[in-house]
């Protein structure tokens, strides 16, 4: 190690003369600053101090209290997806601890269990008080890298003298123009997204769309015959008794958009419907005829009829939806006269929503269900349990929701799980944190969040860490889904990712001394740590109580399905990411050694025994099961009866690229869940303002649309760091027989960064539209044809789909509109002339030279040295601002009122003329533009 790693930060040395050295445990003799008068700013500053081990970050403490110094006797608490390097062992940890000690500080895990992502930063001997009005830069080493703002620590609180913690306002900054901040390590060759890179990448010309190209997903055939037919909420609908549910759905959908009478609509089922004319009936297929006499929808089954209705909803012009949304509902709307025939590629077309990490309300889940039906998806994989939360009421086990569904500031976890992922009980009280933001605007540091990218509120406790569904609410979700022909596949994740369940049953045992449902051996000395740093999240397979618990939970879930009148067809067993190497699993458990059935078994053998029993318990209630690829392994013979794996970890170069095809070729039915193309929670691109992870890849709607279900290696073009990838010739190819074992595909919406419904929608749309296209459309373009198909799809989104989503109203629910991602425009300036373009032709681009007056961009225009650009959607919402050529603020420079600058990665407009006032620090001189 070079000595630079142990150098005292210059900022700390410069403030030494202004501050007083305070003993570590001492409190200020005068007073403590008000927590709301502190501001914490986190910013990575140098990824070159090591290569992919840790990076140097800077935590700036602004003490804006006019009277009180931040002296001793305090503790700052926070969550961090990246571990502070000071908690690590070895030379890395020693270096990081030395850097902090030189500043009079120390960091450690905060909770009693030393499990998870909660940390505390405290003063130690040598800490110099932060005076009133002072800004103190604290240099801190953080593991790996942080090239997105959502990588930052979150959920900051401060406690004085061991008192109740209070919210401390915080923000995350990252300068996209600084390579040391944006280049993760020496192998990171991916450029940062900018106006220039977008301009180069927005290659789709605006084209006229056929009727077939106007629909998502595209039908097998669609031919317009000329003219239109008027329909409305009062249109006569004829349908047999078996289609009463579909008839009600149609009437409700039409009433939402038009109130008067129109042409009649007929619904019918033809079980022999052969859409593709291959001599066999097509399940879920339909035909739609719109003619002068009215509209006729024929389905191969009830689901097919509903999908015909969904296509009819897409035929309604966006202007009709807009008029209804603005309170001017027309009497009728006109749809094109046409003949449409359609049937799906896959029978399994799924969306996984994780509500364990962050909870979502019944209303949000219902909206997603209706959007799933609108895009012809039919399986909701419902992630109800995880380390961070148990989300379903189970009669007889009240601790699961009374304890395991709640996150609080509770270091000993006596009444709830500790806060995690920067959230507890959202902005509501009752979680042990005082004086949280009053609303999302205050959490967002005074700016109303638009949720078109990263928002500072997500580091200031916005996020539903607590919450659960009652039995009645879950049954309500089941019925709502069934009305839309969507099967709900609940996931009960075991044996790992089970901390909420494990600790809930420990809480039960402490309260009742009853071991009936206990999930761990209290004398187990095994050591293991999960990817998320949990050391106590693994259930024990050697306890009879483990299986009593699983049987109890599954039986109660089955009762919910029965009461809802919905078949319980499939249960997901979970099974992903068991912590640590197999030889460490339960190796120190006396219970495993005592039981003759388990004594002497390896960790891998115990895992297989567990899943065999878990699968048997599940299939007493549901005929089929599914689970993550971690449960089975194509290199071993262990398989489960009536079980389908979800291969997910296909990251190029990690060794599991071909697992899906190896399973399928051997005869195992497979659900594709490849992270490189189907994980919608991954960031759209390498723009620091794009929220999300990027561990597998960057995933946008092009990633989902261009996905090749039967030749995934065609997608192996580059890795997550922008380096070219060449498919390995040894990777197993899918055989014709194996193709028949691909049940379908599933898009994944994990919840770590999905802290609000708006962010969930932003992550899902338009990515989910590409996934729906590949799940439904039988005409998957060949790799050589995909770029042309993508350009058409870009036009479809911009001209047709986005305007519909702008004013979309979920059937049977209040509210309107979907917070889809509005793509920032591409732009460049040459010789003072601005040229701009947009990813999705049909969307409007605007520009400004002062950040106040915006004009519609119609072609190259003179602007001078710099300009701002943004995209405007049909509903008036705009994208993030995309600056072009805006200079960086320079200290000592004289700025006129209205001048634009960037500083620390943020964009500012000068409110008044001045020299030397730093943006983001000096009040009254600069306005933050977003």
């Amino acid at each position: 190690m070079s000595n630079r790693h142990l150098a005292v930060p210059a900022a700390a040395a410069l403030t030494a003369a202004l501050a007083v050295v305070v003993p570590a445990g001492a409190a200020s003799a005068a007073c403590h600053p008000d927590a709301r008068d502190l501001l914490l700013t986190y910013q990575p500053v140098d990824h070159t101090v090591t290569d992919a081990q840790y990076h140097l970050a800077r935590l700036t403490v602004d003490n804006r209290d006019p009277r009180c110094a931040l002296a001793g006797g305090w503790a700052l608490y926070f969550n961090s997806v990246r571990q502070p390097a000071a908690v690590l062992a070895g030379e890395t940890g020693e270096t990081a601890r030395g850097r902090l000690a030189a500043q009079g500080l120390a960091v450690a895990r905060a909770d009693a269990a030393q499990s998870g992502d909660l940390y505390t930063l405290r003063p130690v001997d040598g800490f110099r008080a932060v005076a009133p009005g002072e800004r103190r830069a604290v240099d801190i080493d953080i593991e790996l890298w942080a090239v997105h703002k959502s990588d930052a620590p979150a959920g900051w609180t401060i406690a004085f003298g061991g008192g109740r913690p209070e919210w401390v306002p915080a923000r995350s900054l990252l300068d996209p123009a600084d390579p040391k901040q944006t280049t993760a390590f020496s192998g990171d060759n991916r450029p940062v997204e900018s106006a220039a890179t977008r301009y180069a990448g927005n290659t789709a010309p605006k084209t006229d769309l056929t009727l077939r190209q106007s629909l998502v997903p595209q039908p097998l055939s669609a031919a317009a015959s000329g003219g239109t037919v008027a329909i409305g909420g009062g249109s006569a609908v004829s349908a047999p008794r078996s289609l009463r549910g579909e008839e009600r759905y149609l009437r409700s959908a039409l009433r939402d958009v038009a109130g008067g009478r129109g042409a009649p609509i007929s619904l019918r089922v033809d079980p022999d419907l052969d859409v593709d004319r291959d001599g066999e009936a097509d399940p879920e297929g339909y035909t739609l005829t719109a003619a002068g006499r009215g509209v006729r929808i024929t389905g191969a089954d009830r689901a097919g009829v509903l999908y015909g209705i969904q296509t009819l909803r897409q035929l309604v012009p966006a202007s009709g939806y807009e008029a209804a949304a603005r309170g001017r509902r027309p009497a009728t709307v006109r749809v094109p006269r046409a003949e449409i025939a359609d049937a799906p590629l896959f029978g399994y077309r799924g969306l996984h929503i994780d509500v364990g990490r962050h909870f979502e309300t019944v209303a949000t889940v219902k909206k997603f269900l209706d959007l799933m039906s609108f895009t012809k998806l039919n399986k909701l994989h419902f992630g109800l349990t995880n380390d961070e939360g148990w989300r379903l009421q189970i009669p007889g086990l009240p601790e699961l929701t009374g304890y395991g569904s709640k996150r609080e500031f509770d270091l000993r976890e006596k009444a709830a799980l500790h806060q995690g992922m920067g959230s507890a009980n959202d902005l509501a009280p009752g979680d042990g944190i005082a004086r949280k933001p009053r609303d999302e605007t205050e959490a967002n540091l005074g700016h109303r969040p638009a949720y078109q990218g990263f928002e500072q509120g997500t580091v200031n406790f916005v996020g539903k860490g607590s919450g659960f569904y009652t039995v009645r609410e879950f049954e309500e979700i089941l019925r709502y889904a069934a009305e839309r022909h969507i099967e709900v596949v609940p996931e009960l994740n075991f044996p790992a990712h089970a901390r909420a369940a494990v600790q809930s049953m420990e809480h039960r045992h402490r309260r009742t001394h009853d071991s009936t449902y206990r999930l761990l051996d209290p004398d187990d000395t095994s050591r293991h740590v999960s990817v998320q740093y949990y050391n106590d999240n693994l259930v024990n397979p050697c306890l009879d109580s483990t299986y009593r618990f699983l049987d109890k939970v599954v039986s109660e879930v089955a009762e919910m399905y029965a009461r809802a009148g919905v078949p319980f067809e499939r249960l997901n067993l979970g099974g992903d990411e068991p912590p640590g190497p197999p030889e460490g699993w339960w190796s120190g458990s006396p219970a495993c050694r005592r039981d003759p059935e388990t004594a002497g078994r390896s960790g891998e053998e115990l895992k297989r025994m567990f899943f065999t029993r878990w699968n048997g318990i599940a299939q007493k209630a549901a005929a089929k099961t599914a689970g993550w690829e971690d449960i089975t392994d194509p290199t071993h013979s262990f398989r489960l009866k009536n079980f389908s794996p979800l291969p997910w970890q296909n990251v190029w170069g990690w060794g599991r690229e071909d697992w899906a095809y190896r399973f399928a070729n051997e005869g195992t039915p497979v659900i594709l869940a490849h992270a490189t193309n189907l994980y919608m929670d991954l960031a759209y691109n390498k723009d620091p303002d794009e929220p999300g992870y990027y561990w597998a890849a960057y995933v946008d709607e092009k990633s989902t649309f261009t996905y090749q279900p039967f030749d995934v290696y065609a997608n192996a073009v580059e890795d997550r760091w922008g380096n070219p990838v060449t498919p390995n010739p040894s990777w197993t190819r899918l055989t014709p027989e194996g193709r028949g074992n691909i049940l379908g595909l599933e898009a994944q919406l994990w919840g770590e960064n999905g802290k609000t419904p708006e962010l969930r929608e932003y992550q899902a749309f338009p990515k989910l539209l590409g996934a729906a296209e590949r799940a439904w459309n039988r005409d998957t373009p060949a790799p050589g044809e995909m770029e042309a198909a993508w350009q058409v799809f870009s036009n479809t989104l911009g001209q047709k789909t986005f305007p519909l989503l702008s004013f979309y109203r979920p059937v049977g629910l209040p509210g309107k509109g979907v917070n889809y991602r509005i793509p920032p425009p591409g732009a460049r300036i040459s010789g003072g002339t601005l040229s701009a373009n947009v990813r999705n032709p049909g969307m409007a681009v605007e520009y400004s030279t002062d950040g106040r007056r915006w004009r519609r961009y119609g072609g190259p225009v003179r602007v001078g040295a710099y300009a701002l650009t943004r995209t405007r959607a049909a509903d008036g919402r705009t994208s993030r601002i995309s600056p072009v050529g805006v200079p960086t603020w320079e200290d000592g420079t004289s700025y006129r009122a209205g001048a634009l600058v960037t500083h620390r990665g943020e964009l500012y407009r000068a409110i008044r003329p001045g020299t030397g006032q730093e943006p983001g620090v000096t009040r009254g001189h600069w306005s933050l533009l977003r």
Side-chain angles (χ1 to χ4, degrees), residues 7-20:
V8 178
L14 288 173
T15 58
L18 303 176
V20 176

Side-chain angles (χ1 to χ4, degrees), residues 255-594:
R255 284 195 298 269
D256 286 342
V257 70
R261 294 184 63 84
I265 303 172
S266 69
L267 308 177
R268 62 186 291 265
V269 170
D270 176 4
D272 298 319
L273 185 67
D274 180 9
V275 173
D276 57 9
R277 299 180 182 177
D278 66 351
E280 297 183 4
D282 293 302
E284 301 182 284
Y286 68 91
T287 59
L288 185 156
T289 301
R293 297 184 302 276
V295 178
R296 183 175 70 252
I297 296 173
T298 302
D301 45 32
R302 290 179 56 210
V305 171
L306 181 66
Y307 296 137
I309 291 171
Q310 300 296 11
T311 295
L312 181 63
R313 290 177 75 196
Q314 286 199 41
L315 293 177
V316 174
S319 59
Y321 288 105
E322 179 178 4
R326 299 191 187 283
R328 302 188 299 270
R329 187 176 60 153
T332 60
V333 289
R334 292 193 166 271
V335 298
R337 299 187 184 193
E339 293 276 352
I340 298 174
D342 204 4
L345 171 63
F346 290 124
Y348 191 109
R349 305 179 301 279
L351 169 65
H352 167 235
I353 299 180
D354 160 29
V355 295
R357 270 59 181 271
H358 283 98
F359 183 68
E360 289 300 343
T361 64
V362 172
T364 297
V365 174
K366 283 184 173 181
K367 183 176 182 181
F368 266 98
L369 284 165
D370 200 66
L371 284 163
M372 287 175 64
S373 179
F374 189 64
T375 53
K376 301 182 176 66
L377 301 176
N378 66 351
K379 311 289 182 185
L380 173 65
H381 171 182
F382 206 7
L384 293 167
T385 73
N386 223 292
D387 292 319
E388 296 83 5
W390 180 283
R391 306 305 187 188
L392 180 60
Q393 180 185 21
I394 300 296
L397 294 176
E399 296 82 5
L400 285 172
T401 47
Y403 179 93
S405 75
K406 299 190 298 182
R407 296 212 290 262
E408 299 180 358
F409 186 89
D410 184 351
L411 300 183
R412 301 190 66 81
E413 298 182 288
K414 291 183 177 180
L417 302 173
H418 58 65
Q419 80 174 52
M421 298 183 170
S423 63
N425 193 28
D426 207 354
L427 300 183
D431 57 9
I433 301 165
R435 303 177 67 204
K436 283 190 298 185
R438 289 179 291 270
D439 53 35
E440 291 188 2
T441 297
E442 184 176 18
N444 211 41
L445 305 181
H447 298 270
R448 183 178 179 182
Y451 294 116
Q452 282 296 311
F454 174 81
E455 298 284 7
Q456 299 293 354
T458 58
V459 300
N460 289 306
F461 287 104
V462 168
K464 297 180 183 67
S466 298
F468 68 93
Y469 307 109
T470 65
V471 169
R472 183 174 179 178
E473 287 172 333
F474 185 67
E475 292 169 3
E476 182 183 339
I477 289 171
L478 293 177
R479 285 189 289 267
Y480 188 90
E483 290 170 358
R484 287 149 182 78
H485 296 283
I486 295 172
E487 174 192 348
V488 177
V489 181
E491 178 181 335
L492 305 174
N493 199 349
F494 295 97
H497 280 301
R499 188 173 194 267
V502 169
Q503 299 308 319
S504 292
M505 292 303 95
E506 286 302 288
H507 178 70
R508 180 182 189 274
H509 181 264
R510 288 192 298 269
R511 185 177 63 83
T512 66
H513 305 290
D514 180 4
S515 299
T516 302
Y517 298 114
R518 206 171 186 185
L519 297 174
L520 58 75
D521 176 357
D523 299 319
D524 190 353
T525 59
S526 308
R527 301 292 182 193
H528 37 66
V529 179
S530 75
V531 180
Q532 292 80 18
Y533 317 126
Y534 293 108
N535 56 30
D536 51 3
N537 72 339
L538 194 61
V539 306
N540 192 300
C542 306
L543 303 174
D544 289 339
S545 53
T546 290
Y547 303 103
R548 281 195 296 270
F549 173 87
L550 295 173
D551 190 77
K552 167 68 173 174
V553 170
V554 170
S555 298
E556 294 293 345
V557 172
E559 286 291 325
M560 297 177 206
Y561 275 81
R563 283 192 298 270
V566 174
F568 191 6
E569 298 179 1
R570 192 187 303 262
L571 174 68
N572 190 295
L573 309 177
D576 62 318
E577 296 186 323
E583 54 267 25
W585 300 335
W586 312 290
S587 59
S589 170
C592 292
R593 292 194 294 267
R594 283 194 302 265

Side-chain angles (χ1 to χ4, degrees), residues 652 661 672 706-716 727 733-734 739 783:
W652 314 123
Y661 296 164
L672 302 176
T706 60
Y707 178 63
Q708 296 278 338
F710 303 123
D711 184 13
V712 68
Y713 312 136
N715 298 114
R733 291 279 173 177
L734 186 65
R739 179 172 172 145

